[in-house]
Amino acid sequence: MTPPVKRFFLFLLVFCSINCQNKLEGAKYLIAQKERIVDIPWEGHWITVADSVPEKNAWIAFRKQFKLERHSDQATFRIAVDSKYWLFLNGRPIVFEGGLKRGPTPEGTYYDELDLTGKLKKGTNTIAVLVWYFGKEGMSHKSSGAAGMVAELFSGNALGLKTDKSWKARLHPAFSPVSAAPHPNWRLPESNIVFDAQQDMPGWELPEFDDTLWPYAKVLAKGGDAPWNALTKRPIPFWKDYGLKTYGNPMVFPFESTGDTLACKLPYNAQVTPYLKVDAPGGQRITMLTDHYKGGSAYNMRAEYITKAGVQQYESPGWINGEVMYYVIPKGVTVMDLQYRETGYATEFEGFFECDDPFYDRLWQKSLRTLYVTMRDNYMDCPDRERAQWWGDVVLESGEAFYALDREADKLMKKGILELTAWQAPDSTLFAPVPAGNWNKELPTQMLSSIGTYGFWNYYWQTGDRTTMQKVYGAMGNYMAKWRLNEAGTLHLRKGGWTWGDWGENRDMPLLFNTQYYMALDSYGRIARLLGEKSVADSIENTMYQFKKDFNQSFWTGRAYRSKTHKGKTDDRSQALAVVSNLADTSTYEHIYKILQQEKHASPYMEKYILEALFQMDRPEFALQRMKERFGPMVNANTSTLWEGWGIGAEGYGGGTTNHAWSGGGLTLLSQYVAGVSPTSPGYDTFKVKPQLGPLKKVHAIVPSIKGPITVDIELSDTYQIKITVPKNTTATVCIPHRYGTILENGTKISFRPSVPYHEIEVVTGTYLFTAY
């Protein structure tokens, strides 16, 4: 190599080193700036229109032009609204439905923070914001009672722009605050969306739009003041936007409508916004709704578009869900295009399960699809009738997410945990759904479940998030203190606001209360010990020891768990909860197994615990048999999601929606018990692989743990083969049935300590193939 070439490469090496170091320091600086911005008090003011605002369903357009003398190395925009917004910068769409439904606390509001680095230009910039004010209480939203917006733009950590009276603001004339009946049911804060293109302001978001005649904004209050109060940064990602897509059934455009309703097939039950392009005379009303418009026996949202004369296109901004989109288009309108945009929670489908019985593959995939359509601002029971964060549903949904989705999903569970405890009533009652403006009733068994082993504790066990447990520990203790034991040493039942245990018949309520209470004690005690509260943890441990004795003394008849006040058939769900809570000793298992073979009263919600009890009692054959029997109709139906009850409509429960994530517990069980993957210490520092195949011969699974993907492949023939991939920074224990006496690891015979019922082999990071015979 010649000296000039050496000098060139030396220069290149030094340049790259300096450049990389500069980028690293720059990245550290940007992170530091963002962290500081969170702590900066709000200087922007809440603004609204000068004229009166409709009581509900108001749409407000805001505009502001401002100058930048130079490009900024870093630009951060933070914005809060009641209730949703669409943001445009220099005419370009930046955020499609921003903002979260209101309620990090009963008084507070969420705000969004956006990185606008590289999106601003030197000279004049234009920000335009469309705000949708619900103005209506709901089971997932607490209205502030006032429409408005507050925003600030930072260059570095220096304030460069804020909302004040210099902004332009007006009601968007094309959006009507009223619609014809029927209206969305009382549980939803959203209203029908009606857009009259004849009243539109074309191009109002563009820089060249003339807003001279627009009135200036009205200042309401400073950021952080009432009625929006303390502002909490959005804790979950912005929605994933899949872009405009064509419908599944082929259509040839253009064509002239004959006045019929057009049924456009969606690929699955999804959260979508409908799009159209038409050539029409003015004043023609086009209605857009889905096959879930009356899902769960209650009217939900629809969209309406009133045409102007000529060629036009429109996308309704508020999402609705379903399997089929209906366009009701008047006769004589020329349809030029119909599409839809799917948006949803920003997570990836990283988990997977497949076996040699396609039924369980369909169950797993339908559970996943049901889970995803019930995630957005919060975990929902259903995406049509309620969109509410009921905690019986949330506990099961979060369990499914740990096995099906990437770890962005954990943020939604964390948000729910913090909301639930932040909304704790002055008397220490926990209640759900929250956030909510029209609900405050406690469902005691669901609240015990929320803070229990499968709720708060499972979140910690899967994530290792100790900080969140510290934040909610006090609220847990205050709620647990509301419960008392009776003279028999079992639980004194509190009715709460709604004494609900499950849908279906033959609910043995004392058993449902006592088993859920014991799991809440278990979770509270574990978290106390985690946080160094030794005296509390020791006290709870002693209480649990005595409670278990008293529970069995009071409720075990020698053949079943049964309370003296229960007059119906033996409750299958209560037997199962006794097992999974660890209240039942192994000596009861054979009796409980016989009961679960005969009694089938639980809803799909509680069925998950019944099937889990069967796996825990080492009855995988019957667990899979019962799973197929119970979930067969909905798995084999032509819906892409699972149902609220065992049937649809009148044959179901609670209105009978066809998309209820509490029916997806089979997903968790197939990954956790059949594939056999579960953590054995917080955050997957260690985990086990203990498959329970039942009648199956092949299983392939991917578990997207917080440590990385765990893959498992199992094949049972003349030999037992299991191949696993162990991520970095974790250790796996592989369990192989004791009936095999010889084990090869990657082709080499290994020695092991024989044990019953499984031989256990510990392995670290890497890929391993075990062959046993």
Side-chain angles (χ1 to χ4, degrees), residues 369-416:
R369 182 53 60 189
T370 312
L371 171 65
Y372 188 62
V373 81
T374 53
M375 298 172 68
R376 201 172 177 99
D377 296 60
N378 47 266
Y379 275 119
M380 300 175 262
D381 60 336
C382 53
D384 37 28
R385 183 184 67 206
E386 295 175 39
R387 303 183 177 182
Q389 197 164 223
W390 294 99
W391 268 84
D393 302 73
V394 175
V395 167
L396 295 191
E397 287 170 308
S398 65
E400 296 162 35
F402 289 125
Y403 284 100
L405 305 174
D406 72 10
R407 301 288 42 91
E408 284 294 299
D410 300 346
K411 296 176 181 177
L412 195 61
M413 179 58 168
K414 178 178 177 179
K415 174 179 179 286

Side-chain angles (χ1 to χ4, degrees), residues 421-545:
T421 52
W423 278 73
Q424 190 166 37
D427 68 354
S428 296
T429 298
L430 293 174
F431 63 95
V434 293
N438 56 4
W439 185 269
N440 61 2
K441 293 181 175 63
E442 175 197 9
L443 278 71
T445 57
Q446 283 204 11
M447 292 300 89
L448 291 169
S449 176
S450 71
I451 65 176
T453 309
Y454 287 89
F456 285 17
W457 181 254
N458 191 49
Y459 168 80
Y460 170 70
W461 198 244
Q462 294 277 346
T463 65
D465 180 5
R466 187 177 187 273
T467 301
T468 297
M469 296 300 100
Q470 287 178 308
K471 291 179 179 178
V472 302
Y473 173 70
M476 292 178 68
N478 291 337
Y479 182 65
M480 292 301 293
K482 292 187 68 64
W483 294 88
R484 297 284 184 269
L485 302 183
N486 58 32
E487 293 180 355
T490 58
L491 192 64
H492 173 75
L493 306 191
R494 294 177 54 253
K495 291 185 177 180
W498 181 11
T499 312
W500 185 91
D502 186 27
W503 295 127
E505 302 300 324
N506 299 298
R507 298 181 300 274
D508 193 334
M509 294 302 292
L511 288 180
L512 292 178
F513 271 80
N514 275 271
T515 51
Q516 295 285 13
Y517 173 74
Y518 189 75
M519 287 190 283
L521 268 182
D522 174 61
S523 177
Y524 181 45
R526 289 173 188 247
I527 293 171
R529 197 166 298 285
L530 167 71
L531 300 179
E533 299 287 345
K534 184 178 183 301
S535 60
V536 175
D538 289 346
S539 175
I540 293 172
E541 189 174 300
N542 292 333
T543 299
M544 291 179 67
Y545 174 78

Side-chain angles (χ1 to χ4, degrees), residues 44 183 195 218 399 449 470 511 546 605 676 712:
H183 303 289
F195 187 90
K218 175 183 177 181
S449 176
Q470 287 178 308
L511 288 180
Q546 185 61 44
Y605 162 47
V712 177

Side-chain angles (χ1 to χ4, degrees), residues 50-82:
D51 296 333
S52 62
V53 178
E55 182 180 332
K56 63 180 180 180
N57 200 22
W59 295 78
I60 303 174
F62 294 93
R63 278 177 59 90
K64 176 66 177 178
Q65 291 190 317
F66 62 100
K67 289 186 177 181
L68 288 179
E69 299 300 326
R70 60 184 179 84
H71 288 291
S72 174
D73 291 334
Q74 190 249 341
T76 303
F77 186 69
R78 58 181 186 175
I79 176 174
V81 305
D82 186 351

